[in-house]
Amino acid sequence: MTHRNSNRYNPKQRFYRKKSFFLLAGFLLGAGLIVATYQTSVYFSTDESCMMCHVHPHAEDSWKMSKHVNNGSGVKTHCVDCHLPPKHDTWAHYTAKAKLGIRDVWGYLTKDSADFDWEAKSQLEYAVTFIPNESCKECHQNLFPEGVTDKGITAHLYYEENEKKLNLQCISCHLDAGHYNPNYAHSQMTGIPGLAGASADSSTFFKEPALVTEFKDYIETIPGTPVTLSMKAIAGGSFKMGSPEKEPLRGEDESPVRNVTVSPFFMAEVEVTWDQYWAFYGNTMSEGRTPPETVYANNSNPDVDAISGPTPPFGFPDQGWGSGSRPAITMTHYAAETFCQWLSKKTGKKYRLPTEAEWEYAARGGTNTPYFFEGNPKDYSDIGFWRKFFDADTDIISEYVIYNKNSKNKTQEPSAVKANPFGLKNMLGNVMEYCADKYSPDAYKKGGASVKDPIVKEGTEWVVRGGNYTSDASKLRSAARDYTRHDAWLKTDPQQPKSIWWYSDIRGIGFRVVCEPDASLKAK
């Protein structure tokens, strides 16, 4: 009896039976969790799941109208195919998915979709941060499919050769592939925007330039065009150029402060507009790819009758933001200089780009503070520890400046801001403006503590001033300096030689003109 019941009460057997039970239960529970996690992951990778948080109707509507959905093949490209790294890169794919998911859920719970600025978020500067280039290449492994144009082949060959060296991204040239944008065109520009109606009626064209007999504001009328320029008379004077060491958020290239005297000059009230630039383009455009050496030789001839102007750009340089009185953008420094050359021949006056000293003198408008309006750069800037907790002040600066806080990621018309004390608009913000000087970080150390009408002619890059619509307030101070990045601003241009007229990788660059008074006006 004792022998028969010994196994029933064997402690070791009971232990193994319990262990087996827990192992089986644990296995089943683990498998269930894995399946549930996988199914949850699959669900949260569907387009419907993405749309739960991205409730702004433009996101879904523009996606359905894009080539990724509305195409001849009938193949749909899903949200996660573009916005997450490829699935074969498991760690990158799921960590990115977790980060975006948490961000989207937080936004859904705490933000009002009516406040979303879809137009601003659809601009390239924002879009590139949410499109991994590897995802584009995952789907488009053949960059030379049947039917690709010769220009497409050239562009894609350039991409293959320079992708890693120049950090090229597919979306830079194919912004509307995933979300349709009616104002975006991936093609060569044809015709002359904005002048079709005017060109049909030459009676609207001016016959004579403005006659300037006094040193005061005037409206320039450009013969052979229907456009004008509003010019402000800027009296000469002396000022302290640069920023003192105590000025918040200053740059090292803004010192030492020096006394600068500038002669009287006229300056355009606003940056050169698209209406004005398209008039120049229509009068001077070069068909096809005119060799740069031919252009340089022609325009360098002082006796030339016809200026050689820009060739047609690829795409629309206004970025679909609108033309009219908005500032003309994306032209090179040489193109801006050629505009001045054309304007001088048209009017018989001497138009040119401002020197850096003239620009700062005009931007200050007689003030010696960081801005020509009231305020401390630290209060307006997003730089600093406390900006993680408190928003920057925008009340006063937004009245005078188009910058990263109010631009909606694009340029705005001059009417959006108030003028400075000299009557000039958008001297700060909107677009960076070319100067006639070459850039030197120690320019202010040269020539002594007091100089008159200085200009730097040696260097590689050109000075640009004023910041643009993407700039932080610290870069908008009257003394803030910057310079061109010629090669970087042309990195996605596949042409050989690269364009001498249009930049492919900078949008917030433009210019305004100055006019030198003739000798008789200076004497007065």
Side-chain angles (χ1 to χ4, degrees):
M1 190 72 173
T2 303
H3 177 74
R4 188 174 57 199
N5 294 330
S6 61
N7 287 338
R8 182 181 303 174
Y9 299 100
N10 189 326
K12 189 176 291 187
Q13 274 195 345
R14 286 191 301 171
F15 170 78
Y16 284 120
R17 286 176 182 174
K18 288 182 179 180
K19 185 175 182 181
S20 299
F21 171 78
F22 286 122
L23 284 175
L24 179 60
F27 174 79
L28 294 175
L29 180 61
L33 286 174
I34 292 174
V35 171
T37 301
Y38 175 76
Q39 289 298 329
T40 301
S41 174
V42 169
Y43 172 74
F44 283 112
S45 292
T46 62
D47 299 326
E48 292 74 18
S49 173
C50 294
M51 297 306 169
M52 286 173 59
C53 291
H54 294 280
V55 294
H56 201 293
H58 290 303
E60 183 174 2
D61 294 345
S62 62
W63 167 66
K64 290 180 177 179
M65 295 172 63
S66 74
K67 297 174 184 176
H68 279 172
V69 178
N70 186 25
N71 57 62
S73 68
V75 176
K76 179 192 291 186
T77 302
H78 301 284
C79 301
V80 295
D81 295 331
C82 286
H83 293 289
L84 293 179
K87 287 184 178 180
H88 63 74
D89 190 349
T90 307
W91 176 255
H93 178 85
Y94 284 101
T95 53
K97 183 175 182 177
K99 290 178 182 178
L100 286 176
I102 293 172
R103 177 175 177 170
D104 289 344
V105 171
W106 176 254
Y108 178 76
L109 295 174
T110 63
K111 296 180 181 179
D112 185 350
S113 63
D115 296 332
F116 294 167
D117 191 339
W118 170 251
E119 188 175 3
K121 293 182 182 297
S122 65
Q123 299 300 326
L124 182 62
E125 291 88 350
Y126 188 87
V128 293
T129 62
F130 290 96
I131 308 294
N133 209 49
E134 291 302 316
S135 297
C136 299
K137 293 161 60 179
E138 181 77 4
C139 288
H140 300 279
Q141 297 185 23
N142 178 16
L143 298 183
F144 308 97
E146 183 179 350
V148 65
T149 64
D150 291 342
K151 289 184 178 179
I153 292 174
T154 301
H156 289 168
L157 283 171
Y158 176 81
Y159 170 83
E160 283 193 330
E161 294 170 0
N162 296 280
E163 176 198 356
K164 297 188 182 302
K165 181 172 67 175
L166 299 179
N167 190 29
L168 300 180
Q169 290 184 264
C170 302
I171 193 175
S172 296
C173 293
H174 300 281
L175 181 61
D176 66 336
H179 290 278
Y180 174 70
N181 182 349
N183 297 319
Y184 181 87
H186 185 63
S187 61
Q188 194 82 24
M189 193 186 80
T190 58
I192 306 171
L195 287 183
S199 62
D201 184 6
S202 60
S203 65
T204 62
F205 292 2
F206 294 106
K207 305 298 189 292
E208 299 291 337
L211 180 63
V212 180
T213 58
E214 299 179 76
F215 188 71
K216 64 179 184 180
D217 300 351
Y218 70 95
I219 303 295
E220 182 65 272
T221 52
I222 308 175
T225 79
V227 298
T228 62
L229 287 91
S230 174
M231 304 297 296
K232 297 292 183 180
I234 310 297
S238 298
F239 74 109
K240 293 188 179 298
M241 185 174 183
S243 62
E245 292 185 2
K246 292 184 179 180
E247 182 166 306
L249 306 179
R250 64 186 296 274
E252 290 299 319
D253 61 354
E254 300 167 20
S255 60
V257 174
R258 57 179 179 168
N259 295 317
V260 176
T261 300
V262 295
S263 301
F265 59 97
F266 297 100
M267 177 174 268
E269 178 185 7
V270 300
E271 296 142 339
V272 170
T273 69
W274 276 121
D275 279 347
Q276 295 159 358
Y277 200 78
W278 288 137
F280 155 68
Y281 178 82
N283 271 241
T284 64
M285 65 179 290
S286 306
E287 295 292 345
R289 291 285 299 158
T290 305
E293 58 270 18
T294 302
V295 174
Y296 294 141
N298 178 77
N299 292 346
S300 299
N301 181 358
D303 300 320
V304 67
D305 293 326
I307 302 296
S308 294
T311 53
F314 189 83
F316 289 85
D318 68 0
Q319 311 302 310
W321 301 340
S323 292
S325 62
R326 286 181 188 269
I329 54 176
T330 76
M331 76 292 293
T332 63
H333 190 276
Y334 179 73
E337 286 186 317
T338 305
F339 176 93
C340 296
Q341 184 182 12
W342 167 79
L343 186 58
S344 298
K345 284 190 173 293
K346 280 286 188 179
T347 62
K349 302 179 181 70
K350 186 175 181 180
Y351 282 94
R352 57 173 173 79
L353 296 175
T355 66
E356 186 174 17
E358 289 171 335
W359 190 95
E360 185 170 327
Y361 179 75
R364 289 186 176 279
T367 67
N368 58 8
T369 49
Y371 309 101
F372 62 79
F373 48 85
E374 180 184 351
N376 187 316
K378 284 187 175 180
D379 295 333
Y380 296 141
S381 174
D382 282 332
I383 296 175
F385 173 77
W386 291 110
R387 286 294 166 263
K388 297 178 181 179
F389 308 99
F390 303 101
D391 292 335
D393 185 9
T394 61
D395 288 342
I396 297 177
I397 188 173
S398 292
E399 296 180 20
Y400 297 95
V401 180
I402 300 300
Y403 69 127
N404 65 348
K405 291 293 188 181
N406 63 1
S407 68
K408 298 185 177 181
N409 267 341
K410 60 183 179 182
T411 61
Q412 300 295 331
E413 296 180 353
S415 59
V417 296
K418 297 178 181 178
N420 79 351
F422 284 171
L424 305 169
K425 292 184 176 182
N426 282 321
M427 289 299 292
L428 308 180
N430 215 24
V431 298
M432 296 183 290
E433 299 179 10
Y434 288 125
C435 292
D437 298 63
K438 292 285 191 176
Y439 175 76
S440 171
D442 58 353
Y444 296 178
K445 297 178 182 179
K446 302 174 182 177
S450 297
V451 292
K452 181 178 181 181
D453 295 328
I455 183 171
V456 178
K457 296 184 178 180
E458 296 181 356
T460 303
E461 302 287 356
W462 297 98
V463 172
V464 293
R465 285 295 208 115
N468 64 26
Y469 65 92
T470 67
S471 296
D472 178 74
S474 62
K475 302 299 184 183
L476 304 173
R477 295 169 299 104
S478 296
R481 307 178 68 210
D482 206 343
Y483 55 90
T484 58
R485 278 85 169 166
H486 183 74
D487 292 340
W489 291 356
L490 275 172
K491 73 176 184 178
T492 60
D493 182 358
Q495 303 171 103
Q496 293 298 332
K498 291 181 179 292
S499 176
I500 64 173
W501 301 110
W502 303 99
Y503 278 129
S504 55
D505 296 88
I506 179 67
R507 289 159 179 78
I509 186 69
F511 67 104
R512 77 176 70 213
V513 299
V514 301
C515 181
E516 292 186 10
D518 62 28
S520 62
L521 294 181
K522 288 181 180 179
K524 294 178 181 179

